[in-house]
Amino acid sequence: MDTGVGIAAPFGRLLRALRQSRRLTIEELAEASGVSGRAIGDMERGKSRRPHRGTVTALAQGLELDEAAHAELLGAARTARPGTRAAGSVRASPHTLPRGVRDFVGRQAELAVLRALAQEADDSGPARGRELLAPPAAVVSGPPGSGKTTLAVRLAEELASSCPDGAFLVDMRGLDERPLPAEQALSGLLGAWGVGDAELARLTAEERLARFHEITAGLRAVLVLDNAGSEAQVRPLLPREGRLLVVVTSRRALAGLEGVRRVGLGGLSRQESAALLRAVVGAGRVDAEPAAADVVTELCGQLPLALRVAANWAATRTNWSLRRLADRLADEDRRLDALSAGDLRINSAFALSYSRLALEAARMFRLLSLVPGGDFSVAPAAVLADVPLPDAEDLLEELLKAGLLMTSRQDRYRLHDLLRLYAGSRHRQEDGEERSLAARTRLRHWLLETAVLAGRWYEPDYGMPAPDPGRLVALDDRERAARWIKAESDAWLAAFREAAARGEHTRVVEVAEAMHWFSDHWVSWGHWTEIYERAATAGAALDDAGLEATHRNYLAWAYWACARRHDEAVESATAALRLAGAAGNVLQQAWAHAYLGWLRDAVGDMPPAADHYHRALELFTEADDVTGYLQVSCGVIRVLRGAGRARAAVETYQGILDALADPRHHDRIPPNVRDFTLLSAVYSVSFVHLGQGHWQEAADALRSIRGQFDARGWHKQAAKVHLHLGQALAHLGERAEAAAEYRAVLALDDRVPADVRDEAHTGLAALATGRPAPAGPLVQ
């Protein structure tokens, strides 16, 4: 349609021109659109310059605009609003509480029970600690849409002032095909509570659980375990002592959990339902039509989700009565019986709001059912809909205002599982398999391409990706790349799995290779074994023995570093050695020997470790790979020390320093590899000096790396640097500095093993008597 009015014209003039072209009065447009005549008049006169997208959509429907004219009106409205947020990085804070609703109403009886439980946990925490009794916990259960998460978040917000250690939420994803394992939830929480990734990587599953209970015993906080699917999923996360209040939400009552307070949610009461309508639609309109309000609440099953969706729809149509809303709810087709909650059928509220969306917003809503994982940012939505980022943000905000979308942590969104089902049904009905496949493919390719770019920030031969003004996410530095990888891990992992299932073998190994160097920085993630199992399988499918050997070497690392599965790690490295030999790949043979040496070294099997290390050095020399040679050399220092060959160990250390200083290697050794190699070498040789009683050499070495392990979150090694420096200084008579180092160990508190803290206490006690502490066992 040609209106003769350019998109640059102010919104008000364009709206007036469109209305007059339809020969409608303001009152007639108000009746057709549901937007009040006063609001229309204010917009046309320029008095209201920032119309919301939902209001514009209602006006477009009242004007019966076609798609092009509707887009023109939306464009004019957008120019009147402040600019959308620039595409930035998403901070990886997976356990931050989502934003609570401002118009929370009802549930006072349930809140009272939970408040009393919180008070019980707070009052009796110390006594419970002495008696080793578990603090109270609650299970909030109820049908879908009953507001379980909203209630738990409301409680956590209320308790913020009395919980100095904060409030945390973990989406257990109990309805997903792959619910979140308790072990992964536990590791994520430990990370949020300050346990470094390197420390997590060294702990077994049992040790992580013990660490979890050690920390929770001292917390005054609220932990919401949202959307739990089973008792086994949450049982390990219930604290044994202390003041941590745990609130579990689930569709099931989780009857197998002992010692928890159960709070069941059903529909709201008639009074609470009316209060929710008043909060969203306005008290005047609800009180003017109490009978119609009752019908609306009944048709919504008095469930908060359905009520809020219907109320949000009515709130943008201020000129329509509640009776009109009730009639529309009653007349709406009741598709999707699967969305019933017991005998309550609430999909009519969804259908009503959906039917009033603009075409673009409705399409976006349908496509969001394809987003993998829990929450999502604007960028994946833009990719799915194939629209620019600002347009995607506008569409998501329209869905948010319509109640068809919810906020999550930071600038992220999520679909309620019922709404995801509804969106999926509409997508299947309206978009068809061909469009669905195109959207899924577009998202999968973007997620994996972005994962490769982000991961390669850590690859020595890549670093920062080339500038691209069309890139949807900021990857301007390593920190932003890491935040994206972590924040979108559910999504790109799902895309990775889909690529593997579809036989996209080249893409699978590309992603796995790009993540190889980054994986050292997130050892505790829990999925690296899967990544490299699939990559090794892809290498085999490509009939590339060298490629398969590469990823079986990576898999050997993942089995041991991430999962402590030693036998499988040895088996994988042995297979890599065989495959690399068959392919004539000298470099991967070298790495296979390096991993086998590392694995034997890790369990104290030193003679085989030495053999593998020395063979690796020979092969790295043949392959002219200086970085691999240097990393293995650090292991050789440990093996030589264990064999009592201190002089050879120091000579190996000096060889590492010479290689690092050699100008020929300046551009061949990446800065991060150079820094880590030097740190590892100095740390290893310090044990040689300590074992020989060469206190000055030990003190000089340890002073040079003091604080570097702390910065990496490697608390155990950091504590040993302080401890052994204190011991060396005590022998040198520098008692004040020695005492400071012992106290630095104690300041790390429960982040380091008890035996290390005990040695620090012993050292301080010995200093008080004027003599150094007796040397303990030197274990790296």
Side-chain angles (χ1 to χ4, degrees), residues 642-659:
R645 300 175 61 191
R647 176 177 294 181
V650 173
E651 290 173 353
T652 301
Y653 167 72
Q654 189 58 52
I656 293 172
L657 296 185
D658 292 343

Side-chain angles (χ1 to χ4, degrees), residues 206-228:
E206 293 77 12
E207 289 169 335
R208 290 185 188 185
L209 183 59
R211 191 85 170 85
F212 174 83
H213 287 300
E214 183 181 17
I215 291 177
T216 55
L219 288 180
R220 292 182 63 187
V222 181
L223 171 60
V224 178
L225 302 177
D226 192 38
N227 193 20

Side-chain angles (χ1 to χ4, degrees), residues 57-300:
T57 296
L59 290 169
Q61 291 169 344
L63 291 164
E64 298 182 351
L65 298 183
D66 61 19
E67 188 171 352
H70 185 184
E72 184 179 18
L73 190 63
L74 283 170
R78 185 181 299 126
T79 61
R81 296 200 301 271
T84 56
R85 294 185 295 272
S89 61
V90 177
R91 294 195 63 82
S93 301
H95 304 312
T96 303
L97 282 180
R99 191 165 67 236
V101 297
R102 289 177 295 175
D103 45 19
F104 183 91
V105 298
R107 303 300 191 197
Q108 292 308 307
E110 294 86 350
L111 270 175
V113 172
L114 294 172
R115 289 179 187 127
L117 202 64
Q119 189 64 50
E120 181 184 341
D122 191 51
D123 291 344
S124 59
R128 288 179 175 272
R130 289 193 300 271
E131 299 168 17
L132 298 179
L133 295 177
V139 173
V140 178
S141 60
S146 57
K148 300 179 291 294
T149 303
T150 301
L151 176 66
V153 170
R154 179 69 169 194
L155 176 74
E157 290 175 337
E158 283 188 7
L159 298 176
S161 61
S162 61
C163 292
D165 295 316
F168 308 88
L169 183 143
V170 181
D171 182 359
M172 303 302 291
R173 295 160 51 186
L175 299 177
D176 285 9
E177 182 180 348
R178 297 171 182 255
L180 185 72
E183 295 78 10
Q184 190 175 339
L186 186 146
S187 295
L189 285 167
L190 286 174
W193 293 336
V195 180
D197 183 68
E199 181 182 352
L200 282 172
R202 291 191 300 274
L203 300 177
T204 64
E206 293 77 12
E207 289 169 335
R208 290 185 188 185
L209 183 59
R211 191 85 170 85
F212 174 83
H213 287 300
E214 183 181 17
I215 291 177
T216 55
L219 288 180
R220 292 182 63 187
V222 181
L223 171 60
V224 178
L225 302 177
D226 192 38
N227 193 20
S230 67
E231 291 87 344
Q233 200 185 13
V234 299
R235 187 177 284 113
L237 302 175
L238 298 180
R240 297 170 181 167
E241 55 179 309
R243 299 181 177 184
L244 178 67
L245 175 66
V246 175
V247 179
V248 182
T249 72
S250 176
R251 290 190 180 185
R252 301 174 54 229
L254 304 181
L257 292 180
E258 302 86 5
V260 298
R261 187 76 54 85
R262 289 186 168 76
V263 178
L265 298 186
L268 296 172
S269 69
R270 177 179 172 182
Q271 292 76 17
E272 290 172 334
S273 298
L276 179 55
L277 284 179
R278 285 191 189 91
V280 180
V281 178
R285 294 174 68 188
V286 175
D287 293 341
E289 298 182 86
D294 285 345
V295 174
V296 169
T297 62
E298 289 170 7
L299 289 171
C300 290

Side-chain angles (χ1 to χ4, degrees), residues 324-346:
R324 190 163 185 172
L325 170 60
D327 290 344
R328 292 209 170 235
L329 282 171
D331 290 345
E332 197 67 42
D333 290 339
R334 290 177 180 263
R335 317 168 186 93
L336 249 198
D337 288 339
L339 287 186
S340 299
D343 60 352
L344 304 173
R345 301 174 68 186
I346 63 173

Side-chain angles (χ1 to χ4, degrees), residues 545-546 549-550 553 575-590 592:
T550 299
N553 273 327
L577 181 60
R578 174 180 52 78
L579 288 162
N585 189 318
V586 174
L587 183 59
Q588 289 308 316
Q589 291 178 66

Side-chain angles (χ1 to χ4, degrees), residues 595-618:
Y595 282 120
L596 287 167
W598 171 62
L599 291 165
R600 295 303 182 191
D601 185 358
V603 295
D605 195 2
M606 290 306 184
D611 291 342
H612 283 298
Y613 278 151
H614 286 297
R615 182 58 180 146
L617 291 176
E618 293 172 354

Side-chain angles (χ1 to χ4, degrees), residues 680-705:
S680 298
V682 173
Y683 182 67
S684 294
V685 83
S686 72
F687 284 82
V688 179
H689 295 318
L690 290 165
Q692 291 186 293
H694 295 169
W695 307 117
Q696 190 61 58
E697 290 89 340
D700 291 343
L702 291 166
R703 278 193 179 113
S704 73
I705 61 172

